[in-house]
């Protein structure tokens, strides 16, 4: 089983620098590609390249870090589609540029996929802690101090203590089967919630499992890559309406169908996940 890691980014070279720094605290070696969405600022690409070269050249684990810059702006879903198409691996880990990994978070994800070959995994969500919750629980004084976090001092998320099914992935940090991606025809083109879209596809049109795993969380600043300053058409855009356009039925109807599918399948799928091997129990 092969793994690749794609970082989805827009005007976020500094955030990528912090994310790449955090990923060094893993034992596995995975090729990393930063996917820069096209911006109107020509200096951005050189800054991204500097960050990639810095981490490729000083990464003690020997990970490769490369840059792929879009030739046209794709928004989140377009950039994520580009990453999934360009990365030729069995499992692709997708990270937004406004997350950081606690030590061994990537090891945790890779271990889960490699050691549960009998489970038909389609998408797996990292355990995740949001900046607002880290402030609430006293790990941060404010969200502005996100990049001063002591990542060695972050506990596992209390919301996930064992693998379990979820109705939707979260685009900030997840891993997706390339086979599943190809089978469902990729992410929908019109709305940015590619995580919801492929999760709906899993639940409604396949027998792949969509789940979350415990331990070794990612931490998420949230909402950092906002292209609405340069793309006025995004301001006030109704993502639910756009999702309905892609699916051909209103969003509430899609959601209802997905919830019914989750209700129908969750007992059987959770029973399958009950025996799953995790990094914590290896």
């Amino acid at each position: 089983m092969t793994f690749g890691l794609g970082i989805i980014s827009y005007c976020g070279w500094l955030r990528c620098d912090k994310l790449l720094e955090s990923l060094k605290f893993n034992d596995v070696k995975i090729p990393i590609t930063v996917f820069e969405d096209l911006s109107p600022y020509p200096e951005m690409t050189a800054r991204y390249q500097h960050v990639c070269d810095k981490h490729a050249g000083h990464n003690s684990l020997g990970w490769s870090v490369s840059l792929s810059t879009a030739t046209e702006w794709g928004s989140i879903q377009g950039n994520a589609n580009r990453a999934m198409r360009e990365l030729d691996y069995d499992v692709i880990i997708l990270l937004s540029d406004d997350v950081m990994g606690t030590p061994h978070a990537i090891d945790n994800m890779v271990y889960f996929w490699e050691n549960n070959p009998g489970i038909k995994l389609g998408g797996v969500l990292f355990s995740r802690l949001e900046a607002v919750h880290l402030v609430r629980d006293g790990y941060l004084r404010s969200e502005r101090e996100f990049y001063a976090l002591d990542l060695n001092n972050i506990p596992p998320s209390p919301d996930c203590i064992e693998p379990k099914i979820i109705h939707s992935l979260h685009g900030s940090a997840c891993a997706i089967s390339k086979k599943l991606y190809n089978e469902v025809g990729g992410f929908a083109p019109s709305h940015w919630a590619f995580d919801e879209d492929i999760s709906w596809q899993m639940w409604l049109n396949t027998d792949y499992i969509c789940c979350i795993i415990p331990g070794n969380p990612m931490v998420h600043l949230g909402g950092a890559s906002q292209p609405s300053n340069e793309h006025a058409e995004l301001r006030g855009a109704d993502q639910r309406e756009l999702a309905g356009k892609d699916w051909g039925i209103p969003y509430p109807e899609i959601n209802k169908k997905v919830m019914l599918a989750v209700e129908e399948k969750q007992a059987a799928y959770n029973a399958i996940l009950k025996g799953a091997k995790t990094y914590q129990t290896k």
Side-chain angles (χ1 to χ4, degrees):
M1 186 175 289
T2 58
F3 296 84
L5 192 155
I7 298 172
I8 308 303
S9 187
Y10 177 80
C11 294
W13 61 280
L14 281 172
R15 295 188 297 273
C16 283
D17 186 30
K18 296 295 186 181
L19 168 54
L20 288 165
E21 186 67 33
S22 75
L23 295 182
K24 291 181 179 179
F25 299 99
N26 288 277
D27 296 326
V28 295
K29 296 174 179 156
I30 296 179
I32 300 171
T33 305
V34 175
F35 289 88
E36 178 199 5
D37 209 353
L38 188 66
S39 81
Y41 312 111
E43 70 276 12
M44 279 292 163
T45 297
R47 291 173 177 175
Y48 274 106
Q49 189 63 63
H50 174 75
V51 167
C52 292
D53 292 345
K54 166 187 171 183
H55 288 281
H58 297 86
N59 194 325
S60 61
L61 296 177
W63 289 7
S64 63
V65 183
S66 58
L67 175 65
S68 174
T69 300
T71 56
E72 59 183 26
W73 183 71
S75 193
I76 298 172
Q77 72 277 15
N79 209 18
N81 265 322
R82 191 166 65 88
M84 292 296 297
R85 288 194 301 265
E86 289 188 17
L87 295 175
D88 188 19
Y89 303 97
D90 298 322
V91 179
I92 296 167
I93 298 171
L94 287 182
L95 304 178
S96 63
D97 65 17
D98 58 352
V99 299
M100 292 189 293
T102 60
H104 302 293
I106 305 299
D107 292 334
N108 184 35
M109 181 61 74
V110 170
Y111 184 92
F112 188 76
W113 284 83
E114 286 186 331
N115 288 276
N116 295 288
I119 301 176
K120 194 172 182 179
L121 298 171
V124 181
L125 182 63
F126 284 88
S127 172
R128 184 181 80 257
L129 292 168
E130 298 288 339
V132 63
H133 299 143
L134 293 168
V135 173
R136 178 197 64 193
D137 296 337
Y139 294 95
L140 285 174
R141 288 183 299 180
S142 77
E143 294 177 47
R144 291 189 298 273
E145 296 181 353
F146 180 75
Y147 288 109
L149 267 173
D150 179 0
L151 295 172
N152 291 291
N153 193 37
I154 305 300
S157 170
D159 297 328
C160 183
I161 59 174
E162 62 183 1
K164 60 183 180 181
I165 61 125
I166 48 170
H167 79 277
S168 179
L169 300 173
H170 194 280
S172 63
C174 60
I176 297 172
S177 160
K178 182 67 176 277
K179 185 178 180 182
L180 162 74
Y181 175 85
N182 288 336
E183 285 182 13
V184 302
F187 306 128
S190 298
H191 70 295
W192 54 258
F194 69 87
D195 44 7
E196 276 192 327
D197 180 78
I198 201 163
S199 301
W200 297 339
Q201 294 273 16
M202 270 187 277
W203 282 111
L204 296 177
N205 300 324
T206 79
D207 60 349
Y208 283 91
I209 288 180
C210 181
C211 67
I212 184 172
I213 57 174
N216 308 88
M218 305 296 289
V219 293
H220 182 217
L221 177 58
S225 293
Q226 295 291 340
S228 55
N229 288 336
E230 295 81 16
H231 295 273
E233 71 274 14
L234 294 181
R235 291 196 287 271
D238 188 335
Q239 294 299 321
R240 293 186 174 194
E241 183 178 324
L242 293 172
K245 173 186 172 183
D246 283 329
W247 278 70
I249 57 176
Y251 180 91
E253 191 174 335
I254 305 170
N255 198 52
K256 182 179 179 181
K257 286 176 178 288
V258 171
M259 291 302 101
L260 286 172
V262 171
E263 184 178 344
E264 177 185 335
K265 298 176 181 179
Q266 65 180 347
Y269 283 5
N270 276 329
I272 292 171
L273 290 170
K274 199 74 175 176
K277 297 177 181 177
T278 66
Y279 189 72
Q280 286 70 31
T281 60
K282 67 176 180 177

